[in-house]
Every structure is written in structure tokens, then in C-alpha cells.
Amino acid sequence: QRVSGFNSIFAVSSVDAAKLYYAEFQRQMTENPQKRLKVAVIYSYGANEEETDGILDEENPEDTSALDQSSRDFLDAAIRDYNGIFHTNYSTDGDKFQNYYKDVSLRMKNKELDLLIVVNMFLTGFDATTLNTLWVDKNLKMHGLIQAYSRTNRILNSIKVFGNIVCFRNLQKRTDDAISLFGDKEAGGIVLMRGYKDYYFGYEDADGKYHPGYQDMIEELTTKFPLEEERITGEQRQKEFIVLFGAILRMRNLLTSFDEFAGSEILSERDFQDYLGRYQDLRDEWKNRKPGGEKEDITDDIVFEIELIKQVEINIDYILLLVQKYHDSHCDDKEVLITIRKAVDASPELRSKKALIETFIAGINDVSDVMLEWRTFVAEEKERQLVAIIQEENLKDDETRRFMESAFRDGSVKTTGTDIDRLMPPISRFGGGNRAAKKQTIIDKLKGFFDRFFGIG
């Protein structure tokens, strides 16, 4: 499984500290090459050694002339590391350093860098929605503290609903003072998250209103919607399940920021996948519902937390490892088949590939290398299905193949513009041909083909 992540900034007290931390990261990654991160460092002058007042000075991204030779040499070496990763050509010289600064900024925003070590740079004015953690080993206070903390508070989606501040110094008093000065003195609960126990066990706010915790939610889920019940029937019960399970997904997302949550999920991984599968079954069912029928159209006031489901992605490599395990049991271990089915049903990315995976599993009795056989199977099936679409819709062969090659390269099927029209057979634009309906059928088939084969093989 792969957990979707974000990136972070490490704010340190001085240039010497930045050099020490960067060197330590490089040392540890050399010793543990399987745990490599893309780490960069940037600073522009050495005048602000260990700051005592916690007020942020502005660093000039255009000037490294005030750096002592040792600090400049170190930064040049670190930039050479960066050049090696991204195939660039920057240094501490004039325009090249300005361009390094701009490139680092862009790669932070695009989540191409995992960690950026800074002294003062990027702590004021830099906004990136992918940045979710600020590590702090420096004194901060007042507006400097608020500005630095605010680097992490740009909401991105339902996964990133808050930022993380990890302090290696005791800044609690300074944090409280800054919040009191620059906001409502009672705003601490709005600015800062509550403690782990409040979210896990529930809490009562200042107005006496009780907010259920994760434990309460799971108890309600397993009581009202037990897994022994094969299907959730009735529109109202379905709606209640979707609302409750969406709240659980949001709460789990919040609780994962606390170390204490590991091992306290209550639901086993298999049971959680079962509930995920039911949640997505209902989403698929409701997506196909048409408004205005006898049933109340309730999709507008229901939010399916698909981004939160995608946060932990069950990829095809994980499924193939399970298939290998099933094959090694001489295809007798039916529990592995159940695990595969539940994992596929729980994954938004793999549900569209379910038929493909099941067809492959049904034919693996006599294979010697599951991974090699999978690649061969996918290539043959991909060709067979594309030929079928071309023939069924009388599409132009070369143009269709080029179109799909571009889609797999770009990561999506382009449905705007005239690209689809170039694939289509001649149809009268003036009545009788129903060109629009024909085009939509082709788009639907090509998108279905893309969803089945993208990201596998």
C-alpha cells in the first residue's frame, strides 16, 4: 500500500545548523538507500546566526555575497546534489542562484521536493497547498511565529484539512501569546487542534455540546450497519451510512496525525475494506440514479469522500503479491482470494480493473512466473480490447492508437477539442447521423478502456 503524502519545510536557527542537518540527512540516506527523500537546502547570508528574539529577518534570494566561503562552498555542493536529482545547472553565482530559488519554489509547490531546509527563507510569503508540515528548530515569536506557522495552513482538499507544526523547542508560551495578540484571545481552540483523546473518545465544548469521537462513531457503525448484513437497504439507511462513514473517514484522516492512533483503529484492515467497498458500491449506485424519478434525489447533499479513500492506495503490485501467494498455494487458499476481492473493492483505482484481475486469476493454474504472465496478459488483453472498440465503432485505426498512446502518456483521455472527431467514421453533420450520440458512445468506450489499463502492466 502507498500512502499519499505532502511535503515539508525544516526551519533551523542558523546557516551552521542548516549545514549540519543537511549533512545528517545525506548520511542517513546513504546508509539507508531504500528510504531516500528528495532534500534541498537554501540560505543566502550568514549574518543571522543563532537568533535570540525570534523575529524573522528577510533573506535576499538574489544575494549570496555576504556568505563566508565555507557556507558558500557547502551550499554549492548541496546545489550540485540538487542538480543531480533534477538535471539542472544552478550554483550560488548571481543569476544562477536566483534561478535556483525560483526552481526550488516551483518544485515545492509541485511536491517534487520532500523536505526543504531553510534559515529564514520561505517562512514569509511562500504559499504551497501541498506543504503540510513545518519542522521548527529555531526561536520564533509574535508575527514571525504566526507567519512561519501559516506556511502550512493552505487547505488543499479533504485530506489536508490542517497543517502540522513539529517543534523541537518549547514554543508553547510564545504560540499562545502570538495567537492572543494577533487574533481573538479565546481563539486558541480554533487555531490549534484539540488533543488526541478528545477526537478519539469525544468531548464536550464550552457550550455544553457533545462532539462524538472516533470510538463513538465506530460503535454506531458496527451496531447500525453490521457486516453480517450483506446489503444496506432503504434509501434513508443508505444515506445514514454514507454520512456516518464519511465522518469516520474524515476523523481517521485527522487522527493519523497522532502517533497514538497506530494500532487503535478498532476495525481490522479487512473489516475496514469491507465498509470501504460498501461505501463505493453506494456511490456507484447513486451516480447512476437519475434525478426527478420517484426516489428523492439526495446526491446533492451527500459528499462522497473519495479523496480520503484514495489517500491509502492499494496498487496493482500489492494485488499481484497476493496473486503470487494464491498461486504458490496451488490455488487452494481461498482466503487469499477473499483478501484480493476485498482489496480491489476498497480501491477506487482498481475497481475499474476488477474484471481484468479476476480473468487473470482464473487462468494462472499452470504459469511459472506470475509477474511476467501478468504483463503478457495485460498487453494481449489491451490489444484485443482496443481492436474490438475500433471495429465496433468503425474508428480509424492509426489515429485511435495515437490518441490512446497520448492519453496513457498524459494520464487522461482528452474529450474536448477535435481529437475525437478525427477518429470517427464519416457521419453527416446535418441530421440522420446522430453524430453527438455516436461521439459520446466512443468517448465512453475509450474512457472505460483507459480506466481499465492505466497504471498497470
Side-chain angles (χ1 to χ4, degrees):
Q1 299 182 40
R2 177 180 64 81
V3 179
S4 301
F6 297 90
N7 53 7
S8 60
I9 285 178
F10 192 176
V12 301
S13 59
S14 64
V15 169
D16 283 344
K19 290 157 62 178
L20 288 169
Y21 276 120
Y22 182 80
E24 179 61 19
F25 273 108
Q26 295 302 313
R27 184 189 69 77
Q28 292 201 25
M29 288 191 292
T30 299
E31 292 180 359
N32 299 282
Q34 73 279 13
K35 295 183 178 180
R36 293 198 69 82
L37 296 174
K38 291 179 181 175
V39 180
V41 61
I42 190 166
Y43 50 79
S44 64
Y45 63 85
N48 62 326
E49 293 308 310
E50 180 70 33
E51 76 292 328
T52 56
D53 60 4
I55 301 298
L56 290 177
D57 293 321
E58 292 294 329
E59 290 195 41
N60 184 357
E62 300 180 1
D63 184 19
T64 56
S65 61
L67 287 172
D68 61 64
Q69 195 60 45
S70 171
S71 296
R72 185 161 184 167
D73 290 345
F74 187 94
L75 185 55
D76 264 321
I79 294 175
R80 283 195 295 273
D81 293 340
Y82 183 95
N83 291 336
I85 295 172
F86 296 111
H87 309 291
T88 50
N89 185 31
Y90 303 119
S91 72
T92 60
D93 295 331
D95 289 346
K96 286 191 172 183
F97 186 73
Q98 294 177 44
N99 291 331
Y100 173 61
Y101 176 89
K102 293 173 184 175
D103 197 65
V104 166
S105 177
L106 183 62
R107 293 189 193 277
M108 284 296 291
K109 291 179 178 180
N110 291 339
K111 210 173 67 174
E112 296 176 61
L113 273 172
D114 297 307
L115 178 70
L116 176 63
I117 301 172
V118 305
V119 180
N120 283 342
M121 275 185 174
F122 288 87
L123 295 183
T124 60
F126 174 71
D127 292 328
T129 54
T130 62
L131 182 73
N132 82 330
T133 301
L134 176 70
W135 312 86
V136 182
D137 186 11
K138 69 186 280 127
N139 291 324
L140 293 168
K141 73 176 185 181
M142 297 308 172
H143 67 276
L145 180 145
I146 294 295
Q147 283 184 307
Y149 282 14
S150 295
R151 294 317 96 212
T152 72
N153 70 357
R154 300 301 184 265
I155 303 305
L156 174 61
N157 51 27
S158 58
I159 298 173
K160 186 193 171 187
V161 292
F162 53 83
N164 302 305
I165 309 295
V166 182
C167 287
F168 299 105
R169 303 190 180 197
N170 186 1
L171 298 180
Q172 184 64 56
K173 177 69 165 58
R174 291 186 174 197
T175 300
D176 293 341
D177 290 345
I179 290 171
S180 296
L181 184 63
F182 292 97
D184 185 338
K185 290 190 177 182
E186 304 299 321
I190 298 171
V191 177
L192 302 176
M193 289 174 60
R194 301 184 73 92
Y196 169 75
K197 289 184 178 179
D198 287 347
Y199 295 119
Y200 193 85
F201 296 106
Y203 64 93
E204 197 173 277
D205 63 23
D207 297 325
K209 180 183 177 183
Y210 181 71
H211 297 263
Y214 176 77
Q215 194 177 71
D216 301 318
M217 294 177 183
I218 296 298
E219 183 178 355
E220 182 181 355
L221 177 72
T222 53
T223 302
K224 284 187 176 179
F225 308 101
L227 289 173
E228 292 76 19
E229 180 185 13
E230 288 191 9
R231 189 174 185 279
I232 300 170
T233 56
E235 191 168 282
Q236 185 57 37
R237 289 193 73 236
Q238 289 179 350
K239 182 175 180 179
E240 289 173 4
F241 170 77
I242 293 165
V243 171
L244 174 60
F245 196 71
I248 289 171
L249 288 173
R250 291 190 296 274
M251 185 62 81
R252 280 176 68 104
N253 178 57
L254 189 152
L255 285 169
T256 52
S257 63
F258 296 93
D259 293 338
E260 301 98 305
F261 187 58
S264 301
E265 295 89 348
I266 304 176
L267 289 177
S268 68
E269 183 177 357
R270 177 175 282 194
D271 285 351
F272 183 61
Q273 286 182 350
D274 257 343
Y275 280 117
L276 277 174
R278 294 184 183 195
Y279 186 69
Q280 292 181 96
D281 285 342
L282 288 174
R283 176 177 179 261
D284 292 343
E285 179 184 330
W286 283 12
K287 260 182 18 184
N288 297 325
R289 283 188 185 175
K290 299 202 174 157
E294 289 183 10
K295 290 188 176 181
E296 177 193 3
D297 180 34
I298 53 179
T299 54
D300 287 343
D301 63 340
I302 291 292
V303 176
F304 285 92
E305 300 288 0
I306 295 305
E307 285 300 320
L308 290 176
I309 299 173
K310 288 180 179 178
Q311 187 182 15
V312 178
E313 179 187 317
I314 300 164
N315 58 31
I316 194 65
D317 292 337
Y318 171 70
I319 299 299
L320 290 177
L321 287 174
L322 292 175
V323 174
Q324 180 72 59
K325 184 178 179 182
Y326 175 64
H327 176 265
D328 292 346
S329 76
H330 305 289
C331 302
D332 289 332
D333 193 341
K334 304 307 179 187
E335 278 296 307
V336 178
L337 284 183
I338 294 172
T339 301
I340 292 171
R341 179 179 59 77
K342 290 180 183 296
V344 171
D345 284 344
S347 167
E349 301 300 328
L350 294 184
R351 284 168 73 90
S352 60
K353 312 177 199 311
K354 185 174 182 178
L356 202 63
I357 293 167
E358 288 176 344
T359 302
F360 174 69
I361 293 172
I364 65 165
N365 290 348
D366 300 323
V367 306
S368 56
D369 186 328
V370 168
M371 302 299 178
L372 179 60
E373 187 68 19
W374 168 255
R375 287 193 290 272
T376 303
F377 169 78
V378 167
E380 292 175 352
E381 195 63 20
K382 188 176 180 182
E383 173 65 15
R384 186 189 70 78
Q385 292 191 24
L386 183 58
V387 168
I389 294 172
I390 291 171
Q391 292 176 349
E392 288 165 6
E393 300 301 329
N394 194 24
L395 302 180
K396 298 172 185 174
D397 190 282
D398 291 343
E399 285 86 343
T400 303
R401 291 179 183 277
R402 280 196 294 270
F403 177 79
M404 290 313 300
E405 283 173 11
S406 298
F408 284 111
R409 184 192 64 230
D410 299 337
S412 64
V413 174
K414 184 179 178 183
T415 58
T416 57
T418 60
D419 289 3
I420 295 289
D421 296 278
R422 295 194 190 102
L423 318 178
M424 296 175 62
I427 301 175
S428 172
R429 292 178 182 272
F430 304 102
N434 203 0
R435 184 178 182 83
K438 176 74 171 175
K439 183 175 180 179
Q440 188 57 52
T441 298
I442 293 169
I443 289 172
D444 291 343
K445 286 189 176 183
L446 292 179
K447 285 181 76 174
F449 174 80
F450 174 83
D451 290 340
R452 278 191 296 281
F453 290 98
F454 182 67
I456 60 174

